[in-house]
Amino acid sequence: MAPLTQRLLFQRGRPKTNSLGKIRSLDLSGLKLRSEHLDPSLLGRLKQLKELDLSDNLLETLPAHLGLSQLRILRCANNQLGDVTALSQFPNLEELNLEGNPFLTVNDNLKVSFLLPKLRKVNGKDAASTCSQVENLDRELTNRVTAHWEKFMATVSPEEEAADKLQADFVRSAVRDVHYGPESLSEFTQWRVRMIAEKLVTSGGTRVQEAIITKDIPKEPPQAAAASKLRAGTVASKRPDDVPLDLPSTKRACFSSAAQMEGTPVESDGSQAALRLEPLHFLQCHSKNNSPKDLETQLWACAFEPAREEGHSGATSQTVATCGGEAVCVIDCQTGIVLHKYKVPGEEFFSVAWTALTVVTQTGHKKRWNMLAAAGLRGMVRLLHVRAGFCCSVIRAHKKAIATLCFSPTHERHLFTASYDKRIILWDIGVPDHEYKFQASQLLVLSCSSTPLRLCPVASCPDDMLLAGCEGGCCCWDVRLDQPQKQRVCEVEFIFSEDSEGQRVDGLAFVNEDVVASKGSGQGTIYLWSWRQTWAGRGSQSVLPVVLLARLQWSSTNLAYFSLSTCPDKNLVLCGDEEGSVWIYDVEHLLKQRPPPVTTLQAPTQILKWPQPMALGQPVSKTMINTVVANAAFTYLTALTDSNIVSIWRSY
């Protein structure tokens, strides 16, 4: 028997009737329906249907031409929809529910608002804000495509080929060259640019043909394109009520001037350094109750999202996740827009980490997810599907707070969590089930003699060894899964000088596959040391002096937990300090040339000063830069302060 029959429609339809044409409400939820089961010839007979529930099925798309022109309410929650364009067949739709479709993104939300002009509610929320955002985007895109058309037409010569080829060339060039808004909305903007361009060439086809035939038609002056650009002023995108766009005007500043720096950056050959930074945005998006007066919420970590294109291992996007207080925010660095905000009242998030998962749907299709893990005070790891805007699962990882976490660079499902219970646990988070829940399992438990603060898989053998900076020093574990022991103690403790044993290591990162950067408070030094040379001299030692390559001068503060980071593509080491400065070290010359004597302190290439008087409308008593992170190409740098401010900088 077919999944959908006339008898089933009568059973599930309301009101009870013997005519399909009189059914006004139909519940087809929970029937494991696939897209091919929705028979247009059968459903098209429901001429008066106003409400349809297709929730909790296996739909990947909606068939075209279902014939439900009177439909007002549609529920498609908890399916596997990956495209929303088929919704345009329901022009009178007023309410829509698409929750629990994890392959739909914010781009699809914008498409829905564009395709359904009468829509009032989406997923139970008022759709007015999204509709306003779509109108603003559409207005700007229309202006830009029109300006591009004028520029394109100015280059057309009488010898050009047929009009249809010119029109196709214009559409391609518009999709390629017309951009607006954050990268996260690029799918929507390209979709609309193509539609606008195709409509423009259809209405202007005569003008294209005339340009081919006639030489003497006067072209629009070049000022026309410029005028269009002037008319297309910047429009602030509106966000849902619970996602603040950024700071109020007194708490946010954008600059085109260069950042304040101490000293003159120089290259190894004495020439002026190429690296320049300018501040773009200062955001206070983690405040309690979105209050601009909250300068107490601590911000702890940030991480750039992996690039969406497959085959670009290690590449990152311009989207960054930040955590602090009860919130995790996802921010577009180019525009400063808070794309998503996830809150857990009573939680305090200490760490975030990204992974890119390959998920196979129940119908056998592969999908690529960027998944964000966040953890903190409650000892729980929350797996967030950022694009779809929901928490997939919660792993009750530790009984005490989680200080930090990181994903394996080689196994997308392997997650390390480090806790104040003095344990590091390696988890396999698994793959989502039909309800998109994860069933995580423990793979290893690593015992620590003190609290682990930073985790770092060894770059040259990430499946074999794990480094951790701890309250009591720097330790290393064997994490090979082909070994029988599932609970393991520290293999080796590393020391950096005769008196460094037992000292806190709160900064740890690999500069390349061999060189490690590490630091601790009160030492005034960042150490560069060789993993390979150090490990080669291990023998049977449990306490091992590192082979130092260089010592970098840093703040001598006794304050802890300033996290250093590296940008391997640029051979950079970065670290904040207690005075609101970012110390930047270009160590390329140290890695390529004979290293200087390790007793010599290497000065930073430059020190980036926090421009507080320009950035903030009111004085901030604390401007400690406790976390700095740069994306892989060092296009953007993000710094978090102890005063609830996220700063975003761009290199140029």
Side-chain angles (χ1 to χ4, degrees):
M1 184 178 70
L4 285 187
T5 63
Q6 180 173 304
R7 180 180 179 183
L8 180 64
L9 298 187
F10 283 134
Q11 289 176 347
R12 294 217 167 196
R14 296 289 184 276
K16 291 300 181 182
T17 176
N18 58 0
S19 171
L20 292 180
K22 295 181 179 180
I23 293 177
R24 294 177 174 270
S25 176
L26 181 62
D27 182 0
L28 297 178
S29 62
L31 295 177
K32 298 183 179 180
L33 296 175
R34 300 181 186 273
S35 301
E36 58 268 23
H37 296 155
L38 300 182
D39 183 2
S41 63
L42 180 60
L43 295 177
R45 296 165 62 185
L46 302 168
K47 300 298 184 182
Q48 298 300 317
L49 190 68
K50 297 184 180 300
E51 183 174 352
L52 176 61
D53 191 345
L54 293 170
S55 303
D56 303 304
N57 284 297
L58 302 174
L59 304 176
E60 291 190 337
T61 186
L62 291 175
H65 311 300
L66 287 176
L68 305 177
S69 59
Q70 300 300 315
L71 200 63
R72 299 293 191 274
I73 301 173
L74 177 61
R75 300 183 182 92
C76 292
N78 302 319
N79 278 278
Q80 298 184 31
L81 294 176
D83 181 65
V84 297
T85 53
L87 293 172
S88 60
Q89 64 184 295
F90 311 125
N92 295 310
L93 208 61
E94 298 175 358
E95 294 185 23
L96 176 66
N97 192 327
L98 295 172
E99 290 181 306
N101 285 274
F103 306 122
L104 298 182
T105 70
V106 63
N107 291 276
D108 296 295
N109 293 340
L110 298 182
K111 289 180 182 179
V112 163
S113 295
F114 174 80
L115 294 170
L116 303 173
K118 296 184 180 180
L119 201 63
R120 296 184 296 105
K121 284 188 176 182
V122 178
N123 299 337
K125 297 180 180 179
D126 185 75
S129 177
T130 305
C131 289
S132 177
Q133 183 182 7
V134 168
E135 290 174 2
N136 291 333
L137 281 171
D138 213 51
R139 187 182 305 114
E140 178 67 20
L141 291 173
T142 300
N143 287 335
R144 294 189 179 215
V145 174
T146 302
H148 188 72
W149 165 269
E150 293 167 349
K151 182 179 178 180
F152 181 87
M153 289 297 297
T155 65
V156 174
S157 66
E159 293 78 19
E160 293 285 358
E161 299 181 28
D164 55 350
K165 183 179 185 303
L166 286 178
Q167 294 173 5
D169 289 344
F170 168 72
V171 173
R172 282 194 297 270
S173 67
V175 173
R176 182 186 65 241
D177 298 333
V178 176
H179 305 285
Y180 180 67
E183 181 186 9
S184 60
L185 303 184
S186 60
E187 181 188 340
F188 172 78
T189 55
Q190 289 180 4
W191 178 74
R192 278 298 294 141
V193 164
R194 179 176 296 278
M195 294 173 68
I196 295 168
E198 289 175 347
K199 183 176 180 180
L200 194 59
V201 297
T202 300
S203 62
T206 304
R207 292 177 59 192
V208 175
Q209 188 64 33
E210 289 173 352
I212 297 172
I213 297 173
T214 309
K215 292 184 179 181
D216 299 326
I217 296 179
K219 294 184 174 68
E220 195 168 359
Q223 292 85 351
S228 295
K229 292 183 179 180
L230 287 174
R231 291 193 300 268
T234 302
V235 180
S237 300
K238 296 187 178 180
R239 308 296 307 162
D241 294 338
D242 60 342
V243 182
L245 182 62
D246 48 38
L247 292 179
S249 58
T250 58
K251 298 291 290 177
R252 178 178 184 268
C254 299
F255 306 97
S256 59
S257 60
Q260 301 175 24
M261 299 176 185
E262 292 184 357
T264 302
V266 293
E267 298 284 13
S268 57
D269 60 1
S271 62
Q272 191 173 9
L275 178 62
R276 292 291 185 273
L277 291 165
E278 61 177 351
L280 293 183
H281 312 285
F282 291 84
L283 311 177
Q284 193 179 6
C285 48
H286 289 265
S287 299
K288 293 180 180 177
N289 301 318
N290 299 328
S291 171
K293 297 181 180 180
D294 173 23
L295 296 176
E296 302 300 322
T297 297
Q298 299 265 346
L299 304 185
W300 288 111
C302 47
F304 277 95
E305 181 179 13
R308 298 182 200 172
E309 296 83 4
E310 295 189 35
H312 292 72
S313 177
T316 56
S317 68
Q318 66 181 27
T319 305
V320 70
T322 62
C323 71
E326 62 183 15
V328 174
C329 293
V330 179
I331 303 167
D332 181 271
C333 289
Q334 181 182 18
T335 62
I337 293 176
V338 179
L339 302 173
H340 307 277
K341 188 172 185 179
Y342 177 75
K343 296 176 68 174
V344 180
E347 178 66 280
E348 183 173 5
F349 288 105
F350 294 151
S351 186
V352 287
W354 291 93
T355 188
L357 292 176
T358 300
V359 179
V360 180
T361 70
Q362 293 185 23
T363 53
H365 294 170
K366 289 185 177 180
K367 302 285 186 178
R368 194 72 172 166
W369 280 7
N370 280 349
M371 184 72 64
L372 181 66
L377 185 64
R378 293 186 176 181
M380 301 178 183
V381 178
R382 300 175 190 274
L383 301 177
L384 309 178
H385 187 339
V386 174
R387 300 296 171 192
F390 68 94
C391 177
C392 295
S393 282
V394 177
I395 304 172
R396 301 182 183 278
H398 298 267
K399 293 183 178 179
K400 291 188 177 181
I402 295 174
T404 188
L405 45 76
C406 74
F407 279 97
S408 164
T410 54
H411 295 282
E412 60 188 24
R413 291 165 29 185
H414 289 185
L415 174 68
F416 290 97
T417 59
S419 170
Y420 284 85
D421 63 12
K422 299 181 182 179
R423 296 191 306 163
I424 300 169
I425 299 179
L426 173 59
W427 302 86
D428 183 344
I429 64 172
V431 293
D433 59 19
H434 66 283
E435 294 181 347
Y436 302 100
K437 300 294 183 183
F438 288 79
Q439 293 295 327
S441 58
Q442 285 189 15
L443 300 178
L444 293 175
V445 178
L446 312 177
S447 299
C448 310
S449 58
S450 60
T451 302
L453 304 174
R454 311 292 177 205
L455 298 179
C456 193
V458 174
S460 59
C461 51
D463 296 333
D464 297 347
M465 308 300 295
L466 176 73
L467 278 177
C470 306
E471 286 282 3
C474 184
C475 300
C476 180
W477 287 264
D478 183 340
V479 293
R480 289 175 294 178
L481 295 177
D482 58 359
Q483 304 299 308
Q485 300 87 358
K486 299 307 177 185
Q487 297 194 20
R488 302 176 188 178
V489 297
C490 171
E491 293 267 331
V492 177
E493 180 182 351
F494 297 101
I495 57 175
F496 306 94
S497 62
E498 292 181 359
D499 59 349
S500 70
E501 187 173 357
Q503 290 187 357
R504 177 191 298 117
V505 175
D506 57 7
L508 188 66
F510 272 84
V511 182
N512 57 29
E513 286 202 345
D514 176 42
V515 179
V516 188
S518 60
K519 76 160 194 70
S521 57
Q523 301 170 0
T525 303
I526 296 173
Y527 297 102
L528 294 185
W529 51 283
S530 169
W531 162 262
R532 291 194 182 102
Q533 295 179 54
T534 301
W535 195 251
R538 179 202 173 188
S540 59
Q541 300 177 71
S542 60
V543 178
L544 188 61
V546 301
V547 177
L548 283 177
L549 302 178
R551 297 168 69 234
L552 310 180
Q553 180 186 359
W554 183 66
S555 171
S556 59
T557 179
N558 287 318
L559 296 175
Y561 311 131
F562 294 100
S563 177
L564 67 79
S565 65
T566 60
C567 192
D569 289 352
K570 299 290 186 179
N571 292 315
L572 295 177
V573 178
L574 312 104
C575 193
D577 71 8
E578 78 284 7
E579 295 183 353
S581 301
V582 177
W583 300 57
I584 303 176
Y585 309 84
D586 184 345
V587 298
E588 183 174 6
H589 65 289
L590 298 177
L591 303 180
K592 291 185 176 180
Q593 302 174 6
R594 176 178 294 181
V598 294
T599 56
T600 304
L601 275 178
Q602 303 295 310
T605 307
Q606 59 195 46
I607 299 178
L608 178 69
K609 296 294 291 183
W610 176 275
Q612 179 172 314
M614 300 166 59
L616 304 172
Q618 55 182 291
V620 175
S621 58
K622 299 179 296 180
T623 53
M624 296 187 293
I625 306 288
N626 51 25
T627 304
V628 181
V629 64
N631 73 351
F634 205 79
T635 305
Y636 296 96
L637 174 150
T638 302
L640 303 183
T641 80
D642 201 23
S643 302
N644 192 15
I645 307 296
V646 179
S647 65
I648 299 172
W649 305 70
R650 177 178 61 194
S651 64
Y652 67 100

